[in-house]
Amino acid sequence: MQLQGHVGSGRGSRQAEATTPSASLVNTYWKPVELDNQPVALGAGKKELNMVLVSEGNGVRGYSGCNRFMGTIAQKRSQPILGKMASTSRACAQGMEQEIAFLKALSTTKKYKIQGDTLWLYDDTDRKILHFEAVYLQ
């Protein structure tokens, strides 16, 4: 997955930009809320899907609904690129269809946009394929 990014609040005034937090792409717990314009359901065991890109070790990890996934991030022309991904290989009675679609969307992402605490991933035709919200640990 090659990511071309844009980070910003999307608002016109400087005051709005100063008060609207923008989450960081890396070291943020991203919870998917929409996949291909459909709500994301909880995965096996009623656990939420998630993705974290970590700066230490240049990796990505998360939970795709039944299995955990991990991979590497490389830089190409100053843009993060998801390299090879691997996952555990459990089979779950429910949620496998969503898991397959989620992992496919991650692998076909070409750019992203962060606005406040929202992350959108786009495919190569500029179609929004994933919508995430940042979750902050307390």
Side-chain angles (χ1 to χ4, degrees), residues 83-138:
K84 292 196 178 210
M85 305 258 293
S87 72
T88 56
S89 56
R90 288 182 42 203
C92 295
Q94 297 177 353
M96 291 304 293
E97 209 171 286
Q98 177 178 261
E99 176 174 84
I100 291 166
F102 178 71
L103 292 172
K104 181 179 178 187
L106 288 178
S107 70
T108 60
T109 297
K110 297 299 181 192
K111 68 179 185 179
Y112 71 93
K113 178 181 179 184
I114 297 175
Q115 184 175 12
D117 291 335
T118 302
L119 168 66
W120 288 278
L121 301 183
Y122 299 84
D123 66 12
D124 58 356
T125 65
D126 286 338
R127 184 175 61 92
K128 287 182 186 176
I129 54 176
L130 271 167
H131 169 199
F132 290 85
E133 290 179 356
V135 176
Y136 297 98
L137 303 177
Q138 303 197 15

Side-chain angles (χ1 to χ4, degrees), residues 50-103:
N50 66 75
M51 173 182 75
V52 178
L53 288 86
V54 291
S55 59
E56 187 175 307
N58 293 324
V60 60
R61 58 182 161 78
Y63 177 69
S64 53
C66 179
N67 291 284
R68 302 209 60 66
F69 67 91
M70 68 287 305
T72 58
I73 303 171
Q75 292 286 68
K76 184 175 183 180
R77 291 189 282 249
S78 76
Q79 298 300 322
I81 299 170
L82 281 184
K84 292 196 178 210
M85 305 258 293
S87 72
T88 56
S89 56
R90 288 182 42 203
C92 295
Q94 297 177 353
M96 291 304 293
E97 209 171 286
Q98 177 178 261
E99 176 174 84
I100 291 166
F102 178 71
L103 292 172

Side-chain angles (χ1 to χ4, degrees), residues 17-48:
E17 288 180 26
T19 59
T20 303
S22 281
S24 170
L25 178 63
V26 296
N27 299 325
T28 299
Y29 179 101
W30 291 108
K31 173 186 168 183
V33 292
E34 282 186 356
L35 170 61
D36 242 350
N37 295 314
Q38 298 297 315
V40 173
L42 292 175
K46 304 251 185 249
K47 291 171 47 178
E48 67 186 18

